[in-house]
Amino acid sequence: MSLLFPRLAFADDALAFRVGDQTLTHRELARRAGGHAADCLARGLRPGDRVAVWATADVDTVVALVGHALVGLVSVPLNPKLGRRELAHVLGDAEPRAVFAADPAAFADQAPSEPVGTAEAPPPERAVDDEPLLVLYTSGTTGAPKGAVITARNVAANLDALADRWGWTDADVVVHALPLFHVHGLVLGLFGSLRVGGALHHLGRFTPEAACDALGGEGSMLFAVPTMLHRLADAAEADRTLVAGLRAARLLVSGSAGLPVREHRRLERLSGRGVHERYGLTETLINCGVSAAGDPQPGYVGPPLPGVELKLVDDERRELDAHDDETLGEVAVRGPSVFAGYLNRPDATAAVRDADGWFYTGDLAARRADGAIRIVGRRSVDLIKTGGYKVGAGEVEACLLEDPAVAEVAVVGEADPDLGQRIVAYVVPRGDAPDVESLIQRVADELTPHKRPREVHFVDGLPRNAMGKVQKKRLGTPGPQAETSGEER
Ligand code: MCA
Ligand code: AMP
């Protein structure tokens, strides 16, 4: 039987997790996660039940996430900044049987009752099976976010492939400041570190100084989104004492959005070795990565990981057999890490995954002769990547349209040197122009702060084609992730 977190079954006193001045060894994590799991079972929860987790970056939350994984409870990690409407949607859709919050006061209404705490702790073993492990909410072009169901086998297969590509071992300490409610911070950062038997040092909040400090100390790998790397480069150019940390790292990894070649070059100069990029989606986990055994490849996300089949397809989903670094096609992938489907949404699942198991990513790419993939954009301008977060234009538009002073609105992602894309709303007012700050705050309060427009422009009308459809490409400057051809779907 293969275990999801083998080292927890033979736990010792090596570091497993650090945040601030709190730490967990593998032994402590195994004991406390087992105890948490026992409490859940004593309270009547059963394997397969969903448990929402208020995903703050702290020891108790990590214990809960691991405890659930060990006994087959399905964690639904929640962004602690979720606004009213989005929180209600996720809870209504996932229907968790319980909610875990390290600080129940922060989540007063839905908090679980006091722990029972009498049950025997189950052994810290979870086999790699095809049962759900996580439900991760992710945005689409329209509508509210959908819950991607990720199984234990999806995660194990992907982490093993990444360990292979990065030479990732129990000697590694990953440093990151990513949220624990998305694939990047949770699956790769936390579960990945535990699966290889290494450790995660979570910075709590991202600052270039804290990242460089940790890498100059116990940290060996940095996981970051491009926005963080851009801020790191700015800071290290201004303060050369930060360079030592960057140079001490074994591997700097970028993902969740494209790292511009310009930023690659800056970080290469500063760190001496540069940044290895990898590419993935919530629904497929990581598909491609540049090998740590070779140099970084600015502009490329590397070839597919072991076990991942990848093809480029045209608009009719016919395979394009091009390896010329030029022909653009949509990336489709198949393999053991493709998710089990969207919760409660067989229609949405069928739209992205065909009967042969191919998942259509919506990303446009070219392929080099050696198989390396270059991501050039997305088919839809309605998917925005801002600071590494995916935001659907439709969800922000629907929220803004609830303001009675908004007659029409179009939301787009515009190129931004820090965020990759920044969310911009073009609003046709009904009568007097509404207050910009209140429009922005509505999105922060109802959805989540990172979905808020950073700019609002008032316009007399929206550009439309002969059919009356809004032509978003005629609004502003598209960001690097959305500027390519392809229909607006
Ligand atoms: C700001 N804040 C507000 C408001 N404005 N709160 C309430 N109302 C407002 N109007 C709060 C924010 O919540 C935040 O709090 C703080 O003020 C700063 O906000 P902001 O300026 O928006 O943050 P930022 O500096 O722009 O953030 C940049 C960031 C962040 C740190 C890089 O974007 C980030 O963490 N990105 C990571 C995204 C990620 O993990 N994506 C992976 C998806 P507070 O600081 O307390 O939150 S998985 C994926 O994509 C695939 C699988 C893959 O390939 O990895
Ligand atoms: P999410 O749904 O938040 O998991 O975001 C997945 C999307 O992030 C992908 O479809 C890509 O558009 C984008 N993405 C992730 N990694 C990269 C990368 N290295 N380069 C370009 N885009 C990326």
Side-chain angles (χ1 to χ4, degrees):
M1 179 179 67
S2 91
L3 301 180
L4 185 56
F5 301 126
R7 190 163 184 174
L8 292 186
F10 312 99
D12 56 16
D13 294 323
L15 181 74
F17 178 69
R18 181 192 304 281
V19 61
D21 54 10
Q22 294 184 298
T23 58
L24 286 169
T25 65
H26 285 271
R27 194 191 308 278
E28 287 165 343
L29 177 55
R31 185 180 52 76
R32 289 190 53 187
H36 173 80
D39 283 350
C40 291
L41 299 179
R43 247 190 259 141
L45 295 172
R46 288 294 163 257
D49 285 349
R50 288 187 287 275
V51 181
V53 177
W54 201 238
T56 44
D58 52 53
V59 159
D60 293 335
T61 303
V62 164
V63 163
L65 288 163
V66 174
H68 297 161
L70 292 177
V71 290
L73 293 168
V74 185
S75 289
V76 186
L78 302 176
N79 174 355
K81 298 249 158 160
L82 278 189
R84 286 183 290 263
R85 177 208 301 234
E86 195 159 322
L87 179 60
H89 163 71
V90 171
L91 292 176
D93 187 55
E95 296 185 302
R97 286 207 50 211
V99 178
F100 173 85
D103 172 13
F107 194 73
D109 294 346
Q110 287 88 351
S113 52
E114 282 304 300
V116 180
T118 51
E120 272 293 281
E125 294 174 8
R126 164 76 184 266
V128 174
D129 55 27
D130 290 308
E131 298 303 320
L133 177 69
L134 298 167
V135 178
L136 300 177
Y137 276 80
T138 181
S139 293
T141 49
T142 55
K146 303 184 284 286
V149 179
I150 311 288
T151 69
R153 191 174 313 282
N154 291 155
V155 167
N158 205 241
L159 294 175
D160 294 350
L162 284 171
D164 182 77
R165 188 126 308 171
W166 291 336
W168 189 3
T169 71
D170 58 3
D172 281 304
V173 177
V174 169
V175 172
H176 83 54
L178 297 157
L180 293 181
F181 46 85
H182 279 313
V183 164
H184 198 164
L186 172 60
V187 177
L188 274 56
L190 177 63
F191 288 175
S193 295
L194 296 178
R195 182 154 174 85
V196 301
L200 169 63
H201 177 160
H202 197 290
L203 300 174
R205 171 176 294 275
F206 178 78
T207 66
E209 293 72 19
C212 290
D213 241 30
L215 292 171
E218 66 188 356
S220 64
M221 295 159 82
L222 176 72
F223 289 178
V225 295
T227 302
M228 293 172 178
L229 291 165
H230 170 78
R231 294 179 187 181
L232 252 178
D234 277 356
E237 280 172 0
D239 174 2
R240 305 299 291 189
T241 63
L242 296 179
V243 167
L246 282 179
R247 292 192 172 247
R250 178 175 85 73
L251 193 65
L252 307 174
V253 182
S254 177
S256 302
L259 185 68
V261 172
R262 183 186 67 249
E263 302 293 345
H264 268 284
R265 299 280 179 231
R266 291 173 80 197
L267 286 151
E268 203 169 60
R269 278 195 297 277
L270 290 161
S271 70
R273 70 164 62 70
V275 178
H276 288 69
E277 216 174 329
R278 93 298 179 286
Y279 153 74
L281 287 81
T282 299
E283 293 90 332
T284 63
L285 305 183
I286 306 308
N287 299 311
C288 296
V290 175
S291 170
D295 289 333
Q297 309 259 308
Y300 295 84
V301 296
L305 297 182
V308 174
E309 289 179 82
L310 184 150
K311 63 182 181 180
L312 299 180
V313 299
D314 67 13
D315 284 349
E316 271 74 51
R317 293 188 172 175
R318 287 176 306 222
E319 184 163 359
L320 300 166
D321 189 26
H323 289 71
D324 55 7
D325 200 20
E326 207 175 279
T327 308
L328 295 187
E330 179 178 356
V331 176
V333 294
R334 182 163 73 173
S337 296
V338 174
F339 75 158
Y342 296 113
L343 190 68
N344 305 323
R345 293 294 306 275
D347 56 324
T349 307
V352 289
R353 195 182 58 199
D354 70 17
D356 295 324
W358 287 98
F359 180 93
Y360 296 86
T361 62
D363 292 312
L364 294 170
R367 178 173 45 202
R368 216 165 50 180
D370 65 358
I373 299 295
R374 182 164 60 88
I375 307 287
V376 296
R378 274 190 296 277
R379 292 188 71 205
S380 173
V381 294
D382 285 328
L383 282 180
I384 300 169
K385 265 266 155 159
T386 181
Y389 284 114
K390 186 187 259 183
V391 180
E395 53 183 334
V396 181
E397 288 163 357
C399 180
L400 289 171
L401 278 171
E402 300 221 324
D403 188 311
V406 174
E408 288 180 78
V409 60
V411 166
V412 296
E414 295 192 2
D416 187 280
D418 181 47
L419 297 170
Q421 289 181 286
R422 69 175 174 283
I423 299 175
V424 179
Y426 289 85
V427 170
V428 181
R430 190 189 308 280
D432 289 342
D435 174 52
V436 168
E437 280 313 312
S438 71
L439 288 178
I440 293 173
Q441 202 55 42
R442 173 185 290 273
V443 178
D445 291 344
E446 295 292 327
L447 304 181
T448 160
H450 70 254
K451 295 184 179 177
R452 74 193 191 277
R454 306 277 169 143
E455 276 172 37
V456 176
H457 298 296
F458 294 113
V459 290
D460 295 335
L462 299 173
R464 294 181 186 274
N465 65 15
M467 312 291 292
K469 186 175 185 310
V470 176
Q471 292 178 296
K472 291 198 172 177
K473 285 175 181 163
R474 288 175 53 199
L475 290 167
T477 340
Q481 295 287 305
E483 60 197 345
T484 43
S485 63
E487 74 202 56
E488 294 188 16
R489 64 174 186 184

